[in-house]
Amino acid sequence: MGEIKTNRRAWRHGALCMAIGMGLAMSGAAVAANTDGSIVGRTKAGATVTVRDPSTGLTRTVTAGDDGTYRFPFLPVGHYRLESSKDGQAVAEPAEVNVSLGTATTVNLVERGSATTNLEGVQVSAPVVISAVDVSSTETATNISREEIRRLPVDQNVASVALLAPGVNKGNASFGGISFGGSSVAENSFYVNGLNVTDFYNRNGFSEAPFAFYQEFQVKTGGYSVEFGRTTGGVVNAVTRSGTNEFKTGAEMTFEPSAWQATTKNHYWNGERYITSSEDNYSRTKMNVYASGPIVKDKLFFFAMYEARGYTPQNTDNLGTVLTQNDTDSGFWGAKVDWHIDDKNLLEFMAFSDKNKNLGSVYNYDYDTHTKSARKDVITSNTGGRNWNGTFTSYLVDDLSMKLMYGRNEREDFTRAQSDIDCNPVARASAVPGPGVPLGCSTSTAVEKRNDTRKQGRADFEWTLGDHVVRFGYDHEVDTSIYSRRYPGPGSYYYNIYATTPGATIENGGVVPAGYNAYVRARRYEIAGTFETTNNAYYVEDNWNITPDFLLNAGLRRDAFDNKTGEGASYIKMDDMIAPRLGFSWDLKGDGTMKVFGNLGRYYLPVANVINIKQAGGLLDQRTYYAFDGYQVLDRNGSPYAMPILGPQIGPVDDSQGDGTVGDLRAEVDRHMDSVYQDEAILGFQQAITDTWSWGVSGTYRKLHNAIDDMEISATPQCGGDGYIGYVMGNPGRKLTVYGDTNCDGTPDGYIDIDTSKAGWALYDADGNYLGQRGWKKPRRTFGSLEFQVDRAWDEKWMFNASYVLSWSRGNAEGPVNSDTNFDDTGRTENFDDPWVNLSGGYLPNDHRHQFKLRGTYAITPQWQVGADLTALSGSPITGYGVGNPFDATVYHSYFICVDNCADPVSENRVYERSPRGDKRTPWTFNLNASITYLLPIDEKNNLRVKFAVYNLLNQQRTLGVDQDLQTSVGGLNPTYLQPQRFQSPRFGQLTVSIDF
C-alpha cells in the first residue's frame, strides 16, 4: 500500500478519474443531461481534443482552454475513443472511454512519458468496467446497464431495477408502486429518452417498454439537479438502444410456465379460509425480435423491435367461489432513429407502444371439487398507449451546446364487463357469514375509462465559462385526462357488507338497530369530464470549480402548476415556486480516489389530475346505509348468486364527498394555496480502495412541508357552526382563504380567512349542541437515514455490491396517498377530512428500520456465470385504528379506541384510549433471487445466451400487510384486526434465451 500511495502522490491533479461503468458506482454526476453523458478533464493548454464513437463515426472536437480544461457535453451513451494533440503531435496515449447516463466521466490526458501515465494498472479500454469515485458528483444515484441486468436475476420490469438501489422499497398497499427514501409511492418521476412517462392522473405508475428496448437506467435517490423536478421522492431515468454502423439482429424468448411456480398459500382465520389463492397461477411467454444498423453509414441509423406476448393468469376470489381466467395477447413495438446531420448536430426520434388488451373470462367455481361452471361473464381491459419524442442536439460553439425536445405520452385505462348492465358488485367482510354461492353476478367493480395525454417540450443549454459550467433550460407540459367512471349494475351501486354490533354508531353517525350484527353500505359513484393541467419550469445551474479539487454546484428552479376544471378555467394555480439547490464535492487527495460531498435542496410536487376530476368534475359519491337482513339467492344464465337484503336504513344519506354537481369552486379551493414541497440535506463520503473496490457512507435528512388535501370546513371564526362551508381543498393546519358567509345570514357573500390550525371544525355533542371549534395539526413527515455501501466492479470474473440502510420515517402524514388505509386517490385522502384522522404522530407506513441489499455475479468459466440478489427488509408499522374520539360525536377513522360506555348514546360519557400510530410491525421479509447463465460465442459476431433465474428462491410468503382497523364502529372490536391480507409473491422460475447476430 505504501508504493501505491507514493504513485498517487506523483500524479496528484493529473489522475485518470474514471467513472466507466457507473452502473456499479455509488453516485452519478451532477453535470450531465438526463438523456446522455459528458466527458470532461484536463490536457495540455491549447491542445485539440477529439472524441469519436467507433460504432457510429460520431466525432467531436474542442480546443482545451488556457488552463488545459476541456469538456464534451450531451454525448450519447456509448463507448468512445479520446485523443489529444497539439501542433500535430499527440499529447497522450488515446483513451477508451465509456459514457454512462447522467454522468460526467473525467479523463485527464497528460503528456507522454510523464509520471501521470502510470495508472497503477488501471485499464481504461472497454469492456473492462472500473468503479471509481466521481468527484464531479453532488447527487446520489445508481446506474445500471443492460449488460449488468443480463448478468443478474432481475425480473423484467423497471420497478425491479429501481429496487436494486439503496433506500428504494416496494409500496405498502395493494395499489403497489415504489417508495424512495420514506416518500409515498405517488411522489416519483419516470423518464425514457428525456420524455416524462409518469402517470399524472394518480402519479403511481408509468409507461413501460420491455427490458430489451433499454440501454441503461439511472435511479436517482437524492440530491439531483434542478433539471429534474415535480417529485419529492425519486427519479428513474432510462435511455433506449440505438443503431450503429454494424447491422445487427437478434431474438429473445422468455418463458415462465405455471409448472415453475410454487403454490400460493391459502390463509385461514379462526379456522375459516378467508383468502383462497392456491388456484392462482399464470403462464407467460414473450418473443422479442430486433434489428438495427445504418441507413446511411456514419449518418443515419435505426433500431427497431417487436415483442409478442402471451400472458394467461387465473385467480379465484377470496371465497374460492369465482374463478377468473385471463388472456393477454398484445404486442409491443418500439423504434429509435438517429441522424448525425454533421459532427455538431444530431437529431433523434424515439417511439414505442405499450398498448395492452386483456380478456377475463369469469366462472362460478367449486373449490372443493375444482370444477367451474359455464362462463358467466367477460371483463375487458385496455391499457397503455403510444409514446414518442424527437430530440435535436447542437454544438453551437465549443463552449455552448443546446438540446431541444418535444414529445407525447399516452396512457389508456378502460375496463368494462358484459354484466355491467345487469349486475351490481357485492363484497363482504370476512367476519360476515357467506351465502354459499358467489356474491353478485360479476367480479367487475367499475366501468371506467380514462385517456391521459401529455404533450411535453423542453430546451436545455450548457455554457462553459472558464471554471464555470452554466446549465439552464425550460420545460413545459400539458397533461389532459378524459375520464368517466361508475359502478356497474342497476342504479350504479356497490354493496359492501360489514360486521357490527347492535347499538354501535357507524361512520355516518347512524346507530345500528337492535338485533342486527351486520350492515350494508350502498355506494353510488359517478363522474365524467375532460380535465387539463399545465406545468412549466425554468432552471439555471452553475457548476463552479473553485479550485481543481473543490466543486460547488448552485442551482435554482422555478416551477408553476395550473390545474383546470372541465371547462378549462384555472382553479388551483401556483406560481413562483422557487427551489434552490446547493451541492459540493471535495476531492480530498486531489487524485480522484476520495471525496466528501453534500447537497441541500428543495423539491416541489404537482397536484395530480385526479384532483381536477374529483374536485371540479361533478362527482357523485352517495353512501346509504342499511341493516343487513340476510341474502337473496338469484339466478343469471343458470348460475346462482346472492344479493344482500336491505333492512331499515341507518342514518342519513351521505353525499358529503360529492353530490353530483360542480359547486362554487371559490368555496371549495383555498384562494392562496401553497404547494407541497420537501427539503433535503445529504452529506457523504466515498473512497476508491483499489481500482475495482470502493466504499461509501452517506446521511440523508428529508422534511416534507405542507400538504394539499380536502378538509371539511364545518365552522368559521365569523359564524361558528352556522358558517358551514363543506369540503375544501387547501393546506391543513395553515391559513385558508375561501368564499363563504361573512355576515352569518346563510348566504355566501365574500372571502373568509380561517386559520385551520385553530379553527374550521365544529364540535358538537351527541344532542347536536354546538361546543365550539378547533383546527388541524400541520402535516409532518421527516425521514433520516444512514447508508453504507461497498462495491466491487465487474472485471469479467466477478462483481459484488452490498448496501445497508438504517432509516426512520416519522410524522402524521405519509404523503398524498394513505397506504395504511389503502386509499390511493392522490391528494384527496381521508387524512385531513376531520382533525382526528391525523392527530397522532409516529412511524409512517414506508418506515423500514433496516434494509440490507446484496447482489453479485461470478463467472465460473467464460461460458458459465452465476448471479444472486438478496434483500432483507425489516417490517413496516401497524396502527390499530378506531372510529370515535373523546372530543365530539364524530365517527370516523381516528387514533382513539372506545373502552367503556361505548354503547352510551351520549358521546361525552364514552371513555377512549389513545391508539398509537405504528406501535406494531409486520415481520421481516427476505427475498433471494438466483440465476445461472450460459454464454456461447458462436463466432465473432454471433452469441447465444441462456439464463435461468429463480425468484424468491426460498419461497418466502410472509405477511406484508394486515387489517389495521381495531374498531369499525364505536366500541365494536373488529374480529379481523391484524388479519394478514397481503403477502410476498411465491417462488417462480424464468428462462430467457437470447441470440444476437
Side-chain angles (χ1 to χ4, degrees):
M1 289 298 292
E3 181 181 354
I4 293 176
K5 290 180 180 178
T6 301
N7 286 340
R8 285 175 175 165
R9 292 192 190 100
W11 47 273
R12 183 177 175 88
H13 301 295
L16 183 60
C17 306
M18 295 301 298
I20 299 173
M22 291 301 292
L24 305 178
M26 298 186 205
S27 59
V31 199
N34 68 345
T35 60
D36 42 43
S38 301
I39 299 177
V40 301
R42 293 178 181 272
T43 187
K44 192 171 184 178
T48 298
V49 186
T50 301
V51 65
R52 183 176 185 274
D53 183 347
S55 66
T56 64
L58 173 65
T59 303
R60 289 180 178 171
T61 301
V62 298
T63 301
D66 293 339
D67 60 353
T69 60
Y70 72 91
R71 180 174 182 80
F72 291 99
F74 296 150
L75 286 176
V77 171
H79 178 71
Y80 292 85
R81 184 178 178 85
L82 190 64
E83 299 177 344
S84 177
S85 64
K86 187 172 185 180
D87 300 326
Q89 300 295 318
V91 171
E93 295 291 341
E96 302 290 324
V97 184
N98 282 342
V99 171
S100 291
L101 175 62
T103 67
T105 303
T106 303
V107 183
N108 294 326
L109 296 167
V110 296
E111 294 185 40
R112 294 188 176 194
S114 71
T116 56
T117 58
N118 183 359
L119 300 180
E120 302 181 12
V122 175
Q123 300 181 36
V124 297
S125 58
V128 175
V129 178
I130 299 172
S131 174
V133 177
D134 183 356
V135 294
S136 67
S137 168
T138 66
E139 71 177 8
T140 55
T142 300
N143 278 57
I144 304 170
S145 69
R146 175 172 174 264
E147 287 306 313
E148 182 182 356
I149 292 171
R150 298 178 85 183
R151 292 192 295 264
L152 289 167
V154 180
D155 198 12
Q156 297 179 358
N157 55 74
V158 173
S160 294
V161 176
L163 290 170
L164 295 177
V168 182
N169 297 300
K170 292 182 179 180
N172 283 316
S174 63
F175 45 86
I178 51 180
S179 167
F180 287 72
S183 298
S184 76
V185 299
E187 301 174 54
N188 310 315
S189 290
F190 301 83
Y191 294 85
V192 177
N193 283 15
L195 179 68
N196 188 353
V197 295
T198 314
D199 170 22
F200 56 78
Y201 168 75
N202 243 0
R203 294 196 58 82
N204 182 22
F206 49 93
S207 302
E208 187 170 357
F211 258 22
F213 192 60
Y214 297 110
Q215 178 61 33
E216 189 170 347
F217 299 88
Q218 187 180 52
V219 183
K220 297 176 181 285
T221 53
Y224 32 89
S225 162
V226 287
E227 180 180 356
F228 292 92
R230 304 182 192 120
T231 167
T232 48
V235 174
V236 178
N237 189 26
V239 289
T240 63
R241 296 165 68 183
S242 299
T244 66
N245 277 324
E246 182 181 2
F247 279 106
K248 296 180 180 179
T249 60
E252 182 174 275
M253 292 155 284
T254 301
F255 305 95
E256 293 178 27
S258 58
W260 294 354
Q261 299 160 30
T263 300
T264 308
K265 297 176 182 177
N266 294 329
H267 295 277
Y268 297 81
W269 188 258
N270 293 331
E272 180 181 351
R273 188 180 72 246
Y274 70 97
I275 294 181
T276 306
S277 49
S278 58
E279 306 291 287
D280 298 355
N281 60 66
Y282 70 90
S283 291
R284 190 197 310 269
T285 305
K286 297 186 288 187
M287 174 66 177
N288 184 297
V289 293
Y290 79 89
S292 68
I295 301 173
V296 178
K297 187 176 181 180
D298 290 341
K299 284 289 184 183
L300 189 61
F301 312 90
F302 79 95
F303 177 88
M305 175 176 288
Y306 179 78
E307 181 174 275
R309 303 164 173 173
Y311 180 48
T312 55
Q314 74 167 25
N315 62 276
T316 59
D317 66 344
N318 284 341
L319 299 177
T321 58
V322 176
L323 175 71
T324 303
Q325 294 181 324
N326 297 278
D327 186 7
T328 300
D329 186 11
S330 301
F332 166 92
W333 61 260
K336 176 95 181 301
V337 176
D338 295 88
W339 181 19
H340 297 178
I341 302 170
D342 53 41
D343 288 341
K344 289 185 176 292
N345 298 282
L346 306 178
L347 183 64
E348 59 184 275
F349 178 80
M350 180 272 297
F352 69 89
S353 171
D354 62 346
K355 297 185 76 171
N356 197 47
K357 183 177 182 179
N358 182 81
L359 296 178
S361 298
V362 183
Y363 307 86
N364 286 343
Y365 189 70
D366 187 321
Y367 175 79
D368 295 326
T369 62
H370 304 290
T371 57
K372 64 181 183 181
S373 68
R375 187 170 67 181
K376 68 172 188 174
D377 201 3
V378 176
I379 301 174
T380 304
S381 299
N382 297 82
T383 57
R386 294 187 176 92
N387 308 269
W388 62 267
N389 75 333
T391 305
F392 175 65
T393 305
S394 180
Y395 267 0
L396 301 175
V397 294
D398 277 359
D399 296 332
L400 181 62
S401 301
M402 173 184 71
K403 184 182 288 286
L404 306 176
M405 191 277 289
Y406 180 79
R408 185 181 177 104
N409 163 232
E410 297 178 355
R411 289 172 62 87
E412 179 185 29
D413 192 342
F414 184 19
T415 303
R416 65 276 189 201
Q418 291 180 352
S419 61
D420 286 343
I421 296 176
D422 303 329
C423 299
N424 299 100
V426 183
R428 69 174 176 91
S430 59
V432 177
V437 297
L439 287 174
C441 50
S442 172
T443 57
S444 175
T445 57
V447 183
E448 183 175 20
K449 184 173 185 181
R450 189 179 85 242
N451 291 89
D452 294 333
T453 302
R454 171 189 283 109
K455 298 177 182 178
Q456 180 186 0
R458 66 178 300 137
D460 300 281
F461 298 86
E462 184 173 300
W463 191 7
T464 303
L465 298 168
D467 292 330
H468 298 264
V469 177
V470 180
R471 302 179 63 248
F472 55 96
Y474 171 76
D475 81 276
H476 179 89
E477 61 179 49
V478 178
D479 304 336
T480 304
S481 295
I482 303 173
Y483 186 84
S484 65
R485 178 179 173 179
R486 64 175 176 84
Y487 288 131
S492 299
Y493 285 107
Y494 188 170
Y495 297 100
N496 285 87
I497 312 171
Y498 300 99
T500 187
T501 55
T505 302
I506 60 175
E507 59 186 281
N508 71 335
V511 177
V512 177
Y516 287 97
N517 293 302
Y519 67 93
V520 181
R521 184 187 71 182
R523 185 180 182 187
R524 185 180 175 192
Y525 188 103
E526 297 177 359
I527 193 169
T530 300
F531 308 88
E532 180 182 289
T533 295
T534 301
N535 300 320
N536 63 71
Y538 302 89
Y539 75 88
V540 61
E541 178 183 78
D542 181 17
N543 296 272
W544 179 19
N545 276 105
I546 298 176
T547 72
D549 302 330
F550 193 91
L551 171 71
L552 183 68
N553 171 269
L556 204 65
R557 179 183 174 93
R558 180 265 189 192
D559 273 294
F561 309 143
D562 187 3
N563 292 64
K564 301 177 181 179
T565 68
E567 288 73 37
S570 297
Y571 85 103
I572 298 179
K573 188 172 185 179
M574 294 173 285
D575 299 291
D576 298 326
M577 289 171 285
I578 306 300
R581 304 194 192 156
L582 181 68
F584 77 92
S585 177
W586 181 16
D587 183 359
L588 291 174
K589 298 173 66 176
D591 60 5
T593 62
M594 184 185 299
K595 76 167 183 178
V596 173
F597 67 98
N599 199 289
L600 294 172
R602 175 164 290 182
Y603 305 84
Y604 285 91
L605 187 68
V607 178
N609 269 29
V610 66
I611 300 302
N612 305 37
I613 295 166
K614 301 293 179 67
Q615 187 81 16
L619 168 66
L620 175 65
D621 189 352
Q622 186 183 79
R623 309 175 195 201
T624 308
Y625 298 81
Y626 302 92
F628 175 57
D629 261 336
Y631 296 103
Q632 178 184 16
V633 177
L634 304 172
D635 181 90
R636 181 174 183 267
N637 299 330
S639 297
Y641 67 96
M643 293 293 292
I645 300 173
L646 305 181
Q649 182 174 326
I650 305 174
V653 176
D654 179 8
D655 61 3
S656 60
Q657 299 290 319
D659 63 1
T661 65
V662 179
D664 185 346
L665 291 177
R666 296 176 301 173
E668 296 183 14
V669 179
D670 181 5
R671 190 181 189 185
H672 304 300
M673 186 158 48
D674 293 326
S675 182
V676 177
Y677 65 96
Q678 179 170 265
D679 288 331
E680 178 185 69
I682 299 173
L683 183 64
F685 170 83
Q686 189 179 351
Q687 180 185 19
I689 304 171
T690 68
D691 300 331
T692 54
W693 283 94
S694 61
W695 75 282
V697 59
S698 64
T700 299
Y701 178 78
R702 288 177 158 189
K703 185 175 183 179
L704 185 71
H705 301 272
N706 225 350
I708 293 178
D709 216 314
D710 56 337
M711 300 170 283
E712 187 178 11
I713 303 300
S714 55
T716 65
Q718 294 79 7
C719 304
D722 294 330
Y724 183 87
I725 295 176
Y727 279 88
V728 176
M729 191 67 63
N731 303 130
R734 295 182 180 271
K735 183 179 177 181
L736 175 75
T737 302
V738 67
Y739 200 75
D741 184 1
T742 64
N743 56 18
C744 307
D745 64 355
T747 302
D749 57 356
Y751 281 96
I752 301 171
D753 291 333
I754 305 170
D755 183 352
T756 63
S757 68
K758 301 176 181 177
W761 177 260
L763 297 168
Y764 295 95
D765 63 18
D767 297 324
N769 299 310
Y770 176 67
L771 304 176
Q773 58 185 300
R774 66 167 292 159
W776 284 255
K777 277 195 173 183
K778 291 181 180 179
R780 304 186 315 277
R781 186 184 76 197
T782 59
F783 172 81
S785 72
L786 284 174
E787 175 188 315
F788 303 86
Q789 191 170 179
V790 61
D791 182 85
R792 204 277 184 183
W794 174 249
D795 61 355
E796 302 299 317
K797 184 63 178 177
W798 69 291
M799 62 78 59
F800 175 74
N801 181 276
S803 67
Y804 166 66
V805 178
L806 174 68
S807 63
W808 297 264
S809 181
R810 289 175 281 212
N812 63 359
E814 175 188 359
V817 296
N818 283 1
S819 296
D820 41 14
T821 56
N822 220 41
F823 204 101
D824 67 341
D825 269 0
T826 303
R828 196 173 183 270
T829 70
E830 60 182 12
N831 215 29
F832 302 96
D833 286 358
D834 66 39
W836 326 120
V837 183
N838 79 320
L839 191 63
S840 181
Y843 295 110
L844 296 171
N846 294 300
D847 177 75
H848 294 277
R849 190 60 34 76
H850 306 284
Q851 306 167 42
F852 294 90
K853 295 184 179 182
L854 300 90
R855 65 180 186 271
T857 303
Y858 181 75
I860 303 172
T861 70
Q863 284 74 45
W864 289 96
Q865 296 176 357
V866 291
D869 173 37
L870 171 66
T871 299
L873 192 64
S874 62
S876 59
I878 298 171
T879 299
Y881 286 102
V883 294
N885 69 85
F887 305 102
D888 67 5
T890 305
V891 179
Y892 203 57
H893 260 140
S894 75
Y895 293 89
F896 296 95
I897 303 300
C898 185
V899 295
D900 197 14
N901 295 334
C902 302
D904 195 318
V906 180
S907 58
E908 297 94 308
N909 295 334
R910 300 169 186 166
V911 179
Y912 288 89
E913 288 183 357
R914 179 71 67 95
S915 180
R917 178 190 283 270
D919 64 336
K920 297 181 178 62
R921 294 263 173 178
T922 59
W924 276 73
T925 56
F926 304 90
N927 196 76
L928 174 63
N929 305 326
S931 65
I932 184 167
T933 303
Y934 175 66
L935 303 169
L936 177 63
I938 300 174
D939 53 39
E940 291 184 358
K941 295 184 179 181
N942 304 329
N943 296 280
L944 173 68
R945 178 187 295 263
V946 180
K947 181 171 78 172
F948 180 68
V950 179
Y951 299 93
N952 192 2
L953 180 65
L954 303 179
N955 196 28
Q956 296 279 301
Q957 297 187 37
R958 296 195 175 193
T959 299
L960 299 178
V962 303
D963 185 348
Q964 299 191 50
D965 286 328
L966 178 53
Q967 291 186 345
T968 54
S969 58
V970 176
L973 292 178
N974 178 17
T976 61
Y977 172 59
L978 297 181
Q979 182 186 78
Q981 295 181 334
R982 293 183 298 106
F983 311 89
Q984 289 177 268
S985 298
R987 179 178 56 232
F988 70 96
Q990 180 186 81
L991 177 67
T992 305
V993 180
S994 59
I995 187 166
D996 299 289
F997 299 99

